[in-house]
Amino acid sequence: MRTQVGIIGAGPAGLMLARLLHLQGISSIIIENRSRDYIENRIRAGLIEHWAADLLVELGVGDRLKREGLVHWGINIGINGELHHLDFKALIDKRVTIYGQQEVVKDLVVQRLADGGPLLFEVDKVSVHDLTSQQPVIRFEHESKAQQIECDFIAGCDGFHGICRPSFPDGKSQVFDRDYPFGWLGILSESPPPDHELIYSYTERGFALYTMRSETVSRLYLQCDHDEDIANWSDDRIWDELHKRLGGARKLAEGKVLQKGITPMRSFVAEPMQYGRLFLAGDSAHIVPPTGAKGMNLAFADVVFMSRALEAFYTKNAGELLDGYSAKCLRRVWKAQRFSWWMTQIMHRFPDETAFDHRRQLADLDYLTGSAVAAKSLAEQYVGLPLD
Ligand code: APR
Ligand code: PHB
């Protein structure tokens, strides 16, 4: 097989890149090691920044998002049971859209197939070769047959556990990371959310987040130990803790638990995001803790930059944007890293925190909810910094 851009991974990054390239007349092949059913049903966060929702609509993949997405013009911050509303409309006149990541993936898969593919599922034994040549190669197995794609560029959109980042030669990649001493236990529940907007709730018992997928389905998270075993959390125990962490600020309706799981919390960046003709995008290059809901949005920003660089290469034979790809992405990535770390550290209880840390944290929350300037800074970052 031969194409211009070989895309490894059909998550939000790979699928969005394929759509952007298609609209620019650049050919691509996507290979994905999971099944279509698996990628379309993997439950992840579901918050889309202002510019990213507009982009999905502009790219022709936003019809269902416009119909079913929940547009939010603010969030609530709970501090030991007292709710404070941050009004994004008044602060910065921007919004976010709540729409599950797997719904974005479904819409992008439908579009990819309508664009004529190719999109190969359940590939195996993927490897990348000749990265510093003009003609890198992807080898893999599909339906038990060995295959190869010769391309001009490889887009490594294969997530945190993919093979692209580890294919950088020794010494050509530097990692910056931080683990947090807690995780998030998340449930999807058939019950109405306790408020029409999200509630980020700091309590002495730990953090909780009340979000949603629709008017009738809630997504609820609890801070838990980083090595927590989900088997220790019966539905009754989860509801009991959620009620306590909402602190009576709103009434929380219980419902059938449709899914539950634990999300690890990690900050991670690999630099640079390119080696030869292999370019990383999304989770393959960086991970943020979910507190700021930046994961999918960062993946979208990366592939916008990558598609612009590829367009400049193919239409003007200009390589500067490709050469500057990593630096361009990392400026945005590090600001989102800082914001996600900051949101995480003000909202959670840390097992090793000192009395000083605790007082400082409460002061941080008090400042955020008492100062229009502080609230504006959060709002600007939460809805997504401008792309350029
Ligand atoms: N070959 C082919 N595909 C692979 C391989 C491989 N060797 N390894 C992993 N993949 C696939 C995964 O199965 C997955 O479908 O690559 C895809 C990567 O998708 P995501 O993990 O969704 O990553 P990305 O597209 O960067 O999206 C970032 O995902 O983790 C969330 O919070 C994060 O919302 C953010 C988003
Ligand atoms: C979600 O809806 O799953 C969600 C929203 C906001 C976050 C994290 C997750 O910060």
Side-chain angles (χ1 to χ4, degrees), residues 26-322:
I26 299 171
S27 67
S28 68
I29 297 175
I30 312 180
I31 59 168
E32 162 61 51
N33 64 357
R34 300 288 195 154
S35 66
R36 177 173 178 182
D37 186 57
Y38 182 90
I39 64 158
E40 290 189 342
N41 291 296
R42 187 165 41 190
I43 298 193
R44 298 247 185 91
L47 189 138
I48 305 180
E49 293 177 353
H50 186 112
W51 67 272
D54 287 353
L55 179 67
L56 286 163
V57 172
E58 206 180 290
L59 297 181
V61 286
D63 287 351
R64 207 157 61 87
L65 174 131
K66 275 199 288 187
R67 280 197 312 275
E68 297 173 19
L70 302 171
V71 174
H72 287 189
W73 290 95
I75 54 168
N76 299 290
I77 303 284
I79 311 175
N80 286 321
E82 201 178 291
L83 287 197
H84 303 261
H85 186 242
L86 304 189
D87 181 347
F88 296 168
K89 175 103 189 132
L91 289 163
I92 44 161
D93 199 19
K94 292 225 166 98
R95 49 162 163 74
V96 292
T97 306
I98 296 286
Y99 188 66
Q101 178 172 314
Q102 74 275 22
E103 304 307 321
V104 176
V105 165
K106 281 180 204 162
D107 297 343
L108 285 166
V109 168
V110 166
Q111 186 63 54
R112 175 66 182 175
L113 299 175
D115 289 344
L119 166 52
L120 307 182
F121 288 106
E122 297 182 70
V123 304
D124 197 12
K125 303 203 174 90
V126 179
S127 59
V128 292
H129 306 270
D130 307 334
L131 300 177
T132 50
S133 77
Q134 310 259 48
Q135 196 79 126
V137 172
I138 305 173
R139 298 209 179 100
F140 60 100
E141 280 183 18
H142 188 232
E143 294 168 345
S144 308
K145 281 209 300 276
Q147 303 268 15
Q148 80 172 30
I149 302 174
E150 284 162 19
C151 41
D152 301 334
F153 299 97
I154 298 175
C157 303
D158 52 349
F160 188 64
H161 301 288
I163 57 97
C164 289
R165 190 183 66 250
S167 302
F168 281 43
D170 284 349
K172 294 290 181 193
S173 172
Q174 190 179 0
V175 162
F176 303 83
D177 63 349
R178 169 174 297 227
D179 280 328
Y180 298 89
F182 40 74
W184 277 14
L185 190 161
I187 64 166
L188 197 64
S189 159
E190 221 166 37
S191 54
D195 193 279
H196 67 287
E197 288 174 348
L198 274 56
I199 305 176
Y200 287 83
S201 181
Y202 170 90
T203 75
E204 302 296 318
R205 303 180 66 85
F207 170 71
L209 172 61
Y210 302 80
T211 167
M212 63 205 71
R213 289 295 172 267
S214 69
E215 316 281 349
T216 53
V217 176
S218 297
R219 178 90 174 127
L220 307 165
Y221 298 97
L222 286 171
Q223 174 184 353
C224 62
D225 286 347
H226 76 290
D227 54 358
E228 189 66 73
D229 182 355
I230 191 83
N232 293 332
W233 287 82
S234 65
D235 292 359
D236 282 349
R237 182 174 173 208
I238 294 172
W239 285 114
D240 183 51
E241 195 58 35
L242 283 166
H243 286 299
K244 286 182 177 143
R245 294 196 197 176
L246 195 51
R250 290 277 184 278
K251 198 167 159 33
L252 179 64
E254 294 186 14
K256 185 170 158 209
V257 175
L258 303 171
Q259 187 264 355
K260 61 179 166 182
I262 293 185
T263 313
M265 306 281 285
R266 181 187 292 130
S267 299
F268 175 96
V269 183
E271 292 189 9
M273 288 170 59
Q274 64 200 80
Y275 174 73
R277 289 200 166 204
L278 169 62
F279 292 80
L280 303 181
D283 277 17
S284 70
H286 41 73
I287 297 282
V288 283
T291 327
K294 293 279 167 245
M296 175 164 56
N297 297 291
L298 276 183
F300 287 156
D302 290 349
V303 296
V304 167
F305 297 143
M306 200 192 299
S307 72
R308 286 183 189 165
L310 289 166
E311 186 181 34
F313 176 84
Y314 283 114
T315 58
K316 299 194 213 103
N317 200 21
E320 296 82 30
L321 291 184
L322 279 172

